[in-house]
Amino acid sequence: LVSVLSSALIVYRLPWTWKCSKLLMKFIHAGLNTIAMILAIVSMVAVFEYHNARNIPNMYSLHSWIGLTAVIFYALQLFLGFAVFLLPFAPVPLRAALMPIHVYSGLTIFATVIATALMGITEKLIFSLKTPPYSASPPEATFVNCLGLLLVIFGALVLWMASRPHWKRPAEENAKILRPIGGTPEGTEAESTMTDGSNGDKSDLRNDSEAARKQNLKLDEACQRSTM
């Protein structure tokens, strides 16, 4: 979940993917989440079988409670994501209303997964290290503690990338996906007007559109500097 789910979270935030089709990126996002869900289910089955084979009680620690909760909510997140955002049946207003919830719940689940992993490796050390004990800071304890710190740093970087406005997929690239065959992108009224005017009008509108784009780029750069 830590590695594959993080890839699914930032797949829209990678600049070299902004030229790809939005539909293709949706399939990649859904595919990565599906792989993570399958691996999570396999892992949980393995844990229960291991506990039962060694007569270890199940579901008694905070690690197991939070881990199972994360998997359950992740399954719901995956189901709603398929039903609302991938399949073409949900109306656009519903998608727009659920998108902030979908993003927030995905980030929350990822943070919960990081916390579950940290509790799990600590629990494993406490149970496994007997001579010398965990409190004596043997090399195994130092190694796993460093691994925990790296998990925290990794999780913070992923959450930072997924929450920064200037890492979002540009709206202009999204508009290209809405362009019908032989038509113009939605929301580009000036460009659609150019197809009906004279050559002089086309040139003026192109200049206005180019000036607007440059102004937007300047505003984006100023926004990026203010958020750094």
Side-chain angles (χ1 to χ4, degrees):
L1 279 177
V2 172
S3 58
V4 184
L5 177 55
S6 64
S7 300
L9 285 176
I10 64 173
V11 69
Y12 289 110
R13 307 293 177 142
L14 304 177
W16 53 86
T17 68
W18 292 346
K19 297 297 182 181
C20 298
S21 165
K22 183 68 178 293
L23 183 60
L24 174 62
M25 301 313 301
K26 278 188 176 184
F27 279 115
I28 294 176
H29 178 73
L32 289 171
N33 278 294
T34 303
I35 292 173
M37 188 73 246
I38 293 173
L39 294 177
I41 293 174
V42 172
S43 300
M44 291 196 65
V45 172
V47 168
F48 278 102
E49 289 185 351
Y50 177 81
H51 281 200
N52 294 335
R54 292 180 172 262
N55 295 321
I56 301 174
N58 292 308
M59 301 302 301
Y60 68 91
S61 65
L62 182 62
H63 164 72
S64 60
W65 284 27
I66 296 181
L68 182 61
T69 302
V71 172
I72 291 174
F73 277 98
Y74 188 41
L76 293 175
Q77 170 90 343
L78 187 61
F79 173 77
L80 291 177
F82 271 105
V84 176
F85 299 105
L86 191 61
L87 299 179
F89 305 117
V92 174
L94 178 62
R95 295 186 180 188
L98 291 181
M99 178 56 72
I101 301 175
H102 180 73
V103 173
Y104 175 78
S105 59
L107 298 178
T108 303
I109 290 171
F110 178 72
T112 305
V113 167
I114 294 289
T116 304
L118 295 176
M119 288 185 289
I121 60 178
T122 303
E123 180 183 295
K124 182 65 176 177
L125 280 180
I126 293 174
F127 290 156
S128 300
L129 293 179
K130 302 297 183 183
T131 307
Y134 184 27
S135 58
S137 297
E140 296 87 347
T142 302
F143 173 78
V144 174
N145 287 346
C146 291
L147 174 63
L149 290 176
L150 290 176
L151 279 174
V152 172
I153 295 172
F154 176 75
L157 288 175
V158 171
L159 292 175
W160 182 83
M161 291 179 62
S163 59
R164 303 301 288 180
H166 59 273
W167 281 82
K168 286 185 177 181
R169 183 182 174 94
E172 184 177 354
E173 297 300 325
N174 291 336
K176 291 179 182 179
I177 308 305
L178 300 176
R179 181 186 301 173
I181 298 176
T184 58
E186 293 183 4
T188 54
E189 185 178 353
E191 292 182 8
S192 63
T193 307
M194 285 192 292
T195 60
D196 300 326
S198 63
N199 291 334
D201 293 336
K202 290 179 182 179
S203 177
D204 293 339
L205 287 172
R206 286 195 188 99
N207 292 334
D208 293 341
S209 178
E210 184 64 26
R213 286 195 185 96
K214 291 181 179 179
Q215 184 177 5
N216 289 335
L217 287 175
K218 292 179 180 179
L219 291 174
D220 290 342
E221 292 176 356
C223 180
Q224 291 180 19
R225 288 194 296 269
S226 65
T227 55
M228 290 180 66

